[in-house]
């Protein structure tokens, strides 16, 4: 299948077919005023004010209407992009929301419409930022695409604040509406205080459409990037979540579908002005299908590009790029120019591109590169803390540099500069340029800033600003933050540099009172923070006229009760008072996830597990994207011994952050506990043959009565615990306690090779300090048992002819155990008799009789010969006497055998045995001469003569 030309034009904001309507042409050209004020738009949009409040919505045209479905789609696109232009990209949009409605019932004002839209856009207990402008546009777009029901629907099945499990409103036949539904949902999530999952049908329908589109379709990469953006948002910028991994995979797929070839590699070059020796520098080499399509045009193409740039067209309009101007660092890496023959093979190889003179790539390919810069980080790194890791900083900088050397698009360039600002925040030589560049990015939106007051006083000249279409063309492929989030990030940077007053001024202007309170706390003025929040809640502090509703007494905030609830939560954190959280829950009409999260944490700290369980489950039912909340809930369930509930909680936790070793370890404990309760250890192979359902549950016999039901899990719980612990050690390699649990469970499930690896790791970590105590001798002996119970001769050539060797028994396990003992244990533990005896058994299985005899003698020396308690402790004497007899028996049996050189292993074995027994008798004569064991050893000496 494929999308129609009109649908494709709307997705790409490209020129539509000549037969398209004026609404479609306006939407594609990003001239929103024409589309949103057209007669068709005025017949669709409606607003009214009555006793129930303000209603804003759409009235869908009848099926027999003259207007096409494509016009309605274009109307939704124009509304969505108008909202994005006002709050994200700029420039300013001279269009009042009142102009959208032909007849406004009840004498509405623009403020009434905006407040009503903000109230209706709250989702899953999360309010919309209260200073967002023109939210009416977003409300109308969401209703057109079916994400939100219209209050003017003929028979609304849901109230306007409810969201169904399937699209509502118009029954669409255009497939591209699934993409626009996804894009609108992403914009919606971005304006909420905390991200929440979209209705399940949104990503499901979009993923199904992506699978249906051919790989050659130029619309498919756009959809892949949108799905990647959604996954990244739902990960809450968490570097460890599975959603972030999904986002990375989709970004790579988008690169393939777009024909983008890229490579992160190294080239010799210099980074500083005074550098003498060239060092390897990270660089990104990239080209896309547009270059391949134009291949062969050669000089004519280059001249055309130069001519286009000389004309100063729209594509040359990008935000101001500040120079570094450092006395040491170069502005960009100076790569070494290599002299290589210009052969055809050389020209077609991506790895042979000149880093300083790479081919131009499309703006969309640049957007994909920016997404890949985060998808390929060497270790998980948060978007806001790219500077935390030096290697991550270098890698992101290499991607960003590839984009910045080829300026094409205003928004793409802005995103690249923002990533560079984040990467430069942790280096003293670049932090200043990073902050100033972020100031410039904020300033470029002055004309379209939702706050109407820029943090920087300088103005941007109109002739230096790109048009709206150029800014919106790649908007849905970029992780651009809204204007207020960009200013919040700037204020956070100020705060990190100690410029607290400027940061405080920005937070106050943005009316982000929680951040204001944190600023006061950082200034050691918690009393002032409490005063600010209390003034707001009591109505004593006047916010801007856009926020405070004087008609309601001055204490009801724009954004509704949910915003007031967040202030109560902030006050609860400042005063450490759980009653404030309860008040927040009531004020929010039981929709504040944060209130219940805070209550749950308070109850957990107080040891009230049952109350904590209830509060945390209420919080997660509203917004489940908080892995630490799931973790605390799992701990509460474990305290209450509800292993099923704990397993569910920790399972959700690792689904959100799959490198959380503590959650993996606790999940393993839950499986083991459930296995004990459900008879895991009693399952047999006969039970397995009885049949397994989709959950892995095996019924041991036909169940006639529910009360007599017996569930048997043939090692399923222990096996699940084993895999959980395997994930835990992957992400917590230095935690010896997890290795101990992993070793024990591995032995229980028969994974002896993994148990061997775990024991070796434990000895490596603890052997130097703990000595013999670091070696689990029982596990070591079971490992030797697993090897020696295989009766096949390890030196027999016919025994090695089998194509499969079980790594957990016999000759498959023997090399691992041998390396464990000789290379790991012996260098750290050299005085353990049980270790020597275990090694002796292994050597006998290998037919290394000389080594086995030597190990037995070492065990005797380390045990009996060095133990002084045998001279006065009767129990120890009797055990030692038995050990002496065993050593003499080994000398008698192995000494006469021929060694590898053909000579007897111990020609004087009788002399050695007699000397050993005489020495022992001499040590114990005074205390135990009358014992039967002593007399028995004396007889043994006579036999050895």
């Amino acid at each position: 299948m494929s999308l129609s030309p009109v649908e494709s034009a709307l997705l790409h904001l490209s020129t539509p077919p000549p037969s398209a309507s004026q609404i479609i042409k306006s939407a594609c050209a990003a001239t929103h005023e024409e589309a949103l004020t057209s007669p068709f738009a005025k017949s669709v949009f409606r607003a009214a004010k009555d006793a129930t409040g303000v209603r804003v919505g759409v009235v869908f045209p009848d099926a027999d209407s003259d207007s096409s479905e494509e016009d309605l789609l274009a109307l939704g696109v124009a509304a969505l992009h108008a909202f994005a232009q006002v709050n994200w990209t700029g420039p300013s949009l001279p269009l009042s929301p009142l102009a959208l409605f032909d007849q406004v019932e009840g004498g509405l004002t623009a403020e009434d419409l905006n407040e009503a839209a903000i109230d209706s856009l709250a989702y899953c207990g999360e309010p919309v930022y209260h200073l967002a402008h023109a939210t009416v546009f977003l409300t109308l777009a969401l209703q057109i695409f079916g994400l939100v029901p219209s209050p003017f629907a003929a028979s609304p099945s849901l109230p306007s604040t409810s969201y169904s499990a399937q699209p509502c409103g118009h029954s669409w036949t255009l497939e591209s509406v699934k993409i626009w539904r996804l894009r609108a949902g992403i914009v919606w999530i971005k304006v909420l205080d905390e991200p929440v999952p979209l209705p399940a049908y949104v990503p499901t329908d979009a993923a199904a459409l992506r699978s249906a589109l051919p790989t050659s379709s130029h619309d498919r990469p756009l959809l892949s990037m949108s799905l990647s953006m959604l996954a990244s948002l739902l990960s809450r910028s968490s570097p460890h979540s599975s959603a972030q991994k999904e986002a990375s995979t989709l970004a790579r797929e988008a690169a393939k579908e777009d024909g983008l070839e890229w490579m992160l590699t190294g080239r010799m070059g210099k980074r500083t002005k005074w550098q003498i020796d060239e060092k390897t520098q990270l660089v990104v080499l990239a080209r896309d299908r547009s270059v391949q399509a134009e291949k062969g045009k050669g000089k004519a193409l280059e001249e055309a590009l130069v001519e286009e740039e000389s004309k100063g067209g729209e594509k040359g309009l990008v935000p101001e790029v500040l120079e570094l101007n450092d006395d040491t660092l170069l502005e960009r890496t100076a790569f070494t120019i290599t002299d290589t023959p210009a052969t055809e093979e050389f020209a077609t190889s991506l790895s042979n591109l000149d880093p300083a003179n790479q081919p131009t790539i499309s703006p969309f390919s640049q957007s994909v590169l920016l997404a890949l810069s985060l998808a390929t980080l060497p270790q998980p790194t948060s978007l806001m803390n790219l500077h935390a890791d030096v290697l991550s900083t270098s890698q992101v900088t290499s991607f960003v540099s590839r984009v910045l050397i080829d300026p094409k698009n205003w928004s793409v360039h802005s995103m690249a500069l923002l990533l560079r600002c984040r990467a430069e925040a942790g280096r003293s030589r670049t932090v200043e340029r990073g902050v100033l560049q972020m100031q410039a990015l904020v300033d470029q939106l002055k004309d379209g800033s939702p706050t109407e007051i820029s943090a920087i006083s300088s103005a941007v000249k109109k002739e230096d600003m790109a048009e709206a279409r150029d800014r919106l063309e790649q908007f849905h492929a970029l992780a651009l933050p809204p204007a207020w989030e960009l200013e919040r990030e700037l204020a956070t940077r100020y705060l990190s540099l100690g410029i607290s007053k400027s940061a405080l001024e920005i937070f106050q202007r943005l009316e982000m009172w929680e951040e204001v309170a944190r600023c006061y706390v950082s200034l050691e003025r918690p009393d002032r923070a409490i005063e600010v929040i209390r003034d707001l809640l009591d109505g004593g502090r006047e916010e801007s006229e856009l926020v405070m509703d004087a008609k309601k007494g001055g204490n009801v905030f724009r954004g509704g009760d949910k915003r007031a609830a967040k202030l109560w939560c902030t006050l609860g954190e400042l005063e450490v008072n759980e009653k404030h959280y309860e008040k927040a829950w009531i004020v929010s009409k039981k929709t504040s996830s944060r209130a219940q999260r805070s209550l749950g944490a308070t109850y957990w700290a107080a040891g009230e597990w049952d109350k904590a369980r209830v509060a945390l489950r209420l919080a997660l039912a509203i917004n489940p994207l908080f892995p630490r909340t799931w973790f605390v809930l799992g701990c509460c369930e474990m305290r209450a011994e509800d292993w099923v509930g704990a397993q569910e909680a920790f399972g959700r936790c690792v689904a959100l952050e799959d490198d959380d070793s503590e959650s993996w370890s606790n999940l393993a404990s839950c499986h083991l506990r459930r296995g004990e309760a459900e008879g895991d250890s009693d399952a047999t192979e006969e039970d397995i043959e009885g049949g397994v359902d989709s959950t892995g549950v095996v019924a041991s016999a036909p169940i006639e009565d529910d009360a007599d039901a017996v569930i048997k899990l043939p090692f399923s719980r222990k096996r699940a615990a084993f895999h959980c612990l395997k994930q835990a050690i992957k992400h917590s390699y230095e935690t010896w306690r997890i290795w101990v649990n992993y070793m024990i469970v591995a032995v229980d499930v028969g994974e002896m090779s993994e148990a061997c690896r775990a024991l070796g790791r434990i000895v490596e970590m603890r052997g130097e300090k703990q000595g013999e105590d670091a070696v689990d001798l029982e596990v070591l002996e079971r490992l030797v048992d697993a090897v020696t119970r295989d009766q096949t001769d390890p030196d027999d050539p016919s025994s090695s002819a089998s194509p499969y060797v079980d790594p957990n028994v016999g000759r498959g396990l023997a090399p691992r155990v041998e390396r464990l003992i000789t290379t790991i244990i012996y260098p750290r533990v050299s005085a353990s008799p049980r270790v020597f005896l275990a090694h002796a058994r292994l050597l006998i299985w290998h037919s290394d009789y000389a080594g086995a005899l030597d190990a037995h003698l070492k065990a005797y020396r380390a045990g009996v010969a060095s133990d002084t308690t045998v001279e006065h402790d009767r129990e120890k004497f009797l055990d030692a006497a038995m050990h002496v007899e065993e050593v003499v028996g080994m000398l008698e049996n192995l000494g006469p055998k021929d060694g590898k050189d053909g000579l007897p292993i111990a020609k004087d074995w009788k002399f050695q045995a007699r000397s050993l027994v005489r020495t022992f008798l001499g040590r114990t004569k005074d205390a135990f001469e009358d014992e039967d064991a002593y007399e028995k050893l004396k007889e043994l000496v006579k036999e050895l003569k």
Side-chain angles (χ1 to χ4, degrees):
M1 65 165 293
S2 61
L3 303 181
S4 69
V6 169
E7 293 177 275
S8 184
L10 287 171
L11 285 175
H12 294 267
L13 290 186
S14 58
T15 304
S19 59
S21 66
Q22 186 59 41
I23 294 178
I24 295 173
K25 293 179 180 178
S26 299
C28 290
T31 54
H32 314 302
E33 301 93 331
E34 297 181 20
L36 297 177
T37 57
S38 64
F40 174 65
K42 290 183 179 287
S43 68
V44 172
F45 299 149
R46 184 171 300 179
K49 183 178 182 180
D50 51 28
T52 60
V54 179
R55 292 181 296 159
V56 180
V58 298
V59 178
F60 294 101
D62 299 331
D64 55 355
S65 173
D66 294 336
S67 60
S68 68
E69 202 173 37
E70 291 176 343
D71 288 342
L72 184 61
L73 178 65
L75 204 60
V77 172
L80 179 63
H81 283 168
F83 178 75
Q85 180 178 334
V86 171
N87 294 280
W88 263 271
T89 64
S92 62
L93 182 65
L95 177 63
S96 171
L98 284 174
L100 273 60
F101 306 100
D102 194 12
Q103 295 181 351
V104 180
E105 305 173 10
L108 283 173
T109 64
E111 292 181 6
D112 293 334
L113 291 175
N114 203 44
E115 289 181 5
I118 288 176
D119 289 340
S120 65
L121 288 175
Y123 182 43
C124 289
E126 296 296 337
V128 171
Y129 177 60
H130 64 287
L131 291 185
H133 271 199
T135 50
V136 174
F137 295 149
L138 179 59
T139 301
L140 296 175
L142 293 176
Q143 292 183 17
I144 290 175
F145 297 138
L147 283 166
V148 177
S150 171
F152 297 106
S155 300
S157 57
L158 292 169
S160 62
T161 56
S162 300
Y163 310 99
S164 61
Q166 59 184 2
C168 46
H170 181 71
S171 298
W172 290 88
T173 59
L174 298 177
E175 289 293 329
S176 64
V177 74
K178 298 175 182 177
I179 303 178
W180 286 108
R181 196 176 286 143
L182 174 63
R183 287 181 167 185
I186 291 173
V187 174
W188 189 12
I189 291 177
K190 287 182 178 180
V191 298
L192 298 175
D193 282 4
E194 293 285 350
V196 294
L198 287 174
Y201 66 83
V202 176
T204 301
D205 291 350
L209 176 60
R210 177 178 177 270
S211 300
L213 289 173
T215 54
S216 59
S217 171
H218 65 290
D219 300 319
R220 180 164 172 161
L222 300 180
L223 180 51
S224 298
M225 280 301 296
S226 294
L227 287 169
S228 176
M229 290 289 299
L230 177 64
S232 181
L233 279 173
L234 293 186
S235 71
R236 301 186 68 250
S237 298
S238 169
H240 316 300
S241 67
S242 55
Q244 186 61 38
K245 292 185 177 180
E246 181 185 355
S248 302
T249 301
L250 288 166
R252 294 173 186 270
E253 290 296 322
K256 293 180 182 178
E257 295 159 359
D258 186 51
L260 173 65
E261 301 177 28
W262 64 279
M263 176 188 296
L264 178 66
T265 184
R267 286 288 189 274
M268 299 301 291
K270 297 179 180 180
R271 189 68 188 90
T272 64
K273 296 178 180 179
W274 317 113
Q275 186 174 339
I276 298 176
D277 297 330
E278 296 175 340
K279 304 294 183 182
T280 304
Q281 310 290 339
L282 275 178
V283 63
V284 171
L285 306 175
R287 63 186 177 192
D288 63 8
R289 67 171 57 159
S290 63
V291 176
Q292 299 300 324
E294 299 292 343
K295 185 181 177 183
K297 294 186 178 180
K299 188 175 181 180
L301 174 61
E302 295 179 6
E303 292 176 354
L305 292 174
V306 171
E307 182 180 357
E308 180 182 354
E309 291 178 2
S310 65
K311 291 180 180 178
E314 278 190 27
K315 289 198 174 183
L317 295 177
V318 293
E320 179 186 4
V321 180
L322 300 183
E323 298 295 329
L324 185 59
N325 295 327
D326 187 72
D327 59 354
T328 301
L329 292 179
L330 291 171
E331 182 62 32
R332 58 181 60 88
T333 303
F335 293 101
T336 304
I337 300 176
T338 57
D339 296 329
T340 308
T343 62
E344 182 177 354
E345 180 181 358
F346 175 82
T348 57
S349 175
L350 180 65
S351 61
N352 292 325
L353 288 177
D354 182 1
N357 187 24
Q358 298 191 52
T360 183
I361 59 177
S362 67
F364 180 76
S365 295
Q366 292 181 337
S367 302
V368 175
L369 276 182
L370 294 179
L372 288 169
S373 69
L374 303 176
T376 58
L377 289 179
Q379 68 176 25
T381 306
S382 174
L383 294 181
M384 290 289 291
N385 296 288
L386 295 178
H387 61 278
D389 176 66
V390 176
L391 189 55
S392 297
T393 300
S394 301
Q395 183 162 316
V396 170
T397 302
S398 62
F399 279 92
V400 169
S401 298
R402 176 63 181 92
V403 175
L404 292 179
I405 63 174
D406 187 19
K408 283 294 193 67
N409 179 272
W410 180 282
S411 296
V412 174
H413 218 64
S414 298
M415 187 67 211
L417 291 173
L418 177 59
L419 287 177
R420 190 178 72 175
C421 293
R422 292 170 176 171
E424 291 180 343
R427 192 172 181 182
S428 60
R429 290 190 175 272
T430 58
V431 63
E432 181 180 358
R433 197 263 294 270
V435 173
L436 292 176
Q437 184 67 70
M438 192 170 291
Q439 288 177 340
L441 290 175
V442 170
D443 191 52
Q444 71 165 348
L445 296 175
K446 178 187 176 184
D447 196 24
S449 172
T451 57
E452 297 180 350
I453 303 174
S454 175
I456 312 300
S457 59
S458 61
V460 180
K461 296 180 181 179
K462 187 174 182 180
E463 58 269 21
D464 295 334
M465 296 176 63
E467 298 296 330
R469 182 193 168 280
D470 185 40
R471 300 187 184 207
L472 291 168
E473 182 182 7
Q474 303 301 328
F475 170 72
H476 298 287
L478 299 168
L480 277 172
W484 60 85
E485 287 294 338
L486 191 60
E487 289 203 66
R488 184 215 293 258
E489 190 170 343
L490 174 62
T492 304
R493 291 281 179 255
Y494 280 154
L495 199 60
S496 66
L497 295 175
I499 314 174
S500 302
K501 184 176 180 180
S502 297
L504 188 60
E505 289 175 356
I506 294 177
F507 287 137
Q508 287 176 334
R509 176 165 49 77
L510 296 176
E511 294 173 7
M512 296 179 174
W513 301 113
E514 295 177 62
E515 305 297 337
V516 170
R518 291 191 180 97
C519 279
Y520 280 123
V521 171
S522 68
L523 294 172
E524 299 182 356
R525 290 292 308 277
D527 56 327
R528 180 60 179 151
I530 294 173
E531 179 185 350
V532 169
I533 301 299
R534 281 203 172 276
D535 283 350
L536 285 166
L537 292 173
D538 297 339
R541 170 176 287 270
E542 286 292 331
E543 288 188 289
S544 70
E545 65 277 9
L546 298 177
V547 181
M548 192 66 72
D549 186 353
K551 296 180 181 180
K552 297 180 180 180
N555 59 352
V556 178
F557 301 93
R558 183 176 182 175
D561 298 330
K562 296 177 179 59
R563 182 165 173 263
K566 295 180 80 69
L567 291 178
W568 278 109
C569 289
T570 303
L571 185 62
E573 293 172 359
L574 292 171
E575 296 186 344
V576 194
N577 190 340
E578 66 183 62
K579 293 183 179 179
H580 295 328
Y581 302 134
E582 296 171 354
K583 176 69 174 178
W585 180 245
I586 296 172
V587 168
S588 68
K589 299 182 177 63
K590 299 183 178 181
T591 61
S592 174
S593 173
R594 179 180 172 183
Q596 289 298 332
R597 288 198 305 271
S598 300
L599 273 175
T602 302
Y603 292 142
W604 164 261
E608 301 181 45
W609 321 122
D610 292 335
K611 288 184 178 180
R613 292 167 66 193
V614 174
L616 294 174
R617 286 204 172 275
L618 284 173
L620 292 168
I622 298 171
N623 189 347
L625 297 180
F626 289 88
R628 299 318 296 171
T629 305
W630 281 112
F631 182 84
V632 176
L633 174 61
C635 293
C636 291
E637 300 289 8
M638 292 182 77
R639 292 279 187 173
E641 298 188 358
D642 181 359
W643 306 114
V644 176
Q647 179 183 329
E648 176 196 1
F650 290 122
R652 294 294 294 272
C653 190
V654 298
L656 290 169
E657 290 189 350
D658 68 350
D659 72 337
D660 186 349
S661 58
E662 288 186 82
S663 295
W664 280 115
S665 182
N666 290 341
L667 184 59
S669 299
C670 294
H671 281 298
L672 294 173
R673 293 286 188 159
R674 288 192 66 185
E676 293 175 1
E678 297 170 2
D680 195 353
S681 60
D682 297 331
T684 62
E685 292 183 1
E686 289 74 12
D687 294 331
I688 300 176
E689 296 172 359
V692 182
D693 65 10
S694 60
T695 63
V697 177
V698 180
S700 60
I703 298 174
E704 299 179 356
D705 185 0
D706 290 341
D708 298 327
V710 177
I711 302 297
K712 295 208 172 183
L713 303 168
F715 295 109
S716 61
R717 293 294 174 196
K718 286 184 179 178
R719 177 65 63 175
F722 170 74
H723 288 294
C724 291
L725 289 170
K726 196 170 187 177
Q727 291 294 324
I729 61 173
K730 183 191 300 183
H731 303 296
S732 190
Y733 195 73
E734 301 297 328
T735 305
W736 65 268
R737 289 183 177 84
I738 298 180
W739 279 102
V740 170
N741 295 335
Y742 180 62
M743 175 184 65
I744 294 171
V745 175
V747 171
D748 285 346
V749 299
E751 294 285 347
M752 305 306 290
S753 61
E754 287 299 302
C756 181
R757 181 169 77 98
L759 179 57
R761 181 63 187 148
I762 294 167
V763 174
E764 287 175 345
M765 289 188 289
R766 306 186 67 205
E768 299 294 340
K769 294 182 178 180
Q770 302 293 329
E772 184 179 355
D773 292 338
V775 183
D776 192 317
L777 297 172
E778 293 183 4
V779 171
L780 178 62
E781 290 168 351
R782 290 192 63 173
L783 289 172
V784 175
D785 290 341
V787 174
T788 57
R789 67 167 169 256
D790 184 1
Q791 299 301 320
T792 59
D793 186 356
D795 299 323
D796 185 4
S798 61
S799 65
S800 60
S802 174
Y804 172 72
V805 177
D806 189 345
N808 297 310
V809 294
R811 57 192 176 91
L813 180 62
R816 295 179 173 86
V817 179
E818 179 68 24
R819 284 194 298 270
L820 169 67
I821 296 175
T822 58
T823 65
I824 298 177
I825 296 180
Y826 275 168
R828 297 169 177 85
V829 180
S830 58
S832 173
R834 291 179 65 178
V835 172
F836 287 121
L837 292 175
H839 192 204
R841 289 197 293 129
L842 184 65
L843 293 172
I844 290 175
W845 182 81
H846 272 298
S847 300
D848 184 1
Y849 302 121
L853 181 58
D854 182 61
H856 272 285
L857 292 174
K858 287 180 178 178
Y860 176 79
R861 297 188 194 104
V864 176
S866 60
D867 187 2
T868 58
T869 60
V870 299
E871 300 174 9
H872 53 79
D873 189 323
R874 185 174 182 275
E875 294 294 331
K876 291 291 183 68
F877 166 76
L878 295 177
D879 291 339
M882 293 179 59
H883 195 186
V884 169
E885 293 182 24
E886 291 175 2
V887 174
V888 172
M890 294 304 299
L891 284 168
E892 183 179 1
N893 293 327
L894 301 180
K897 289 183 177 293
D898 292 337
K900 294 180 180 180
D901 55 359
L903 300 176
I905 294 173
K907 182 188 298 186
D908 59 343
W909 67 269
K910 284 189 177 182
F911 173 75
Q912 293 185 43
R914 190 167 57 252
S915 299
L916 185 147
V917 178
R918 283 177 175 173
T919 302
F920 180 76
L921 291 175
R923 291 174 58 199
T924 58
K925 179 178 180 180
D926 294 339
F928 305 110
E929 185 177 8
D930 297 333
E931 293 286 341
D932 294 338
Y934 190 89
E935 292 295 330
K936 189 176 180 180
L937 290 176
K938 290 175 65 177
E939 295 294 329
L940 183 59
V941 172
K942 295 178 181 179
E943 295 176 4
L944 293 172
K945 288 184 178 180

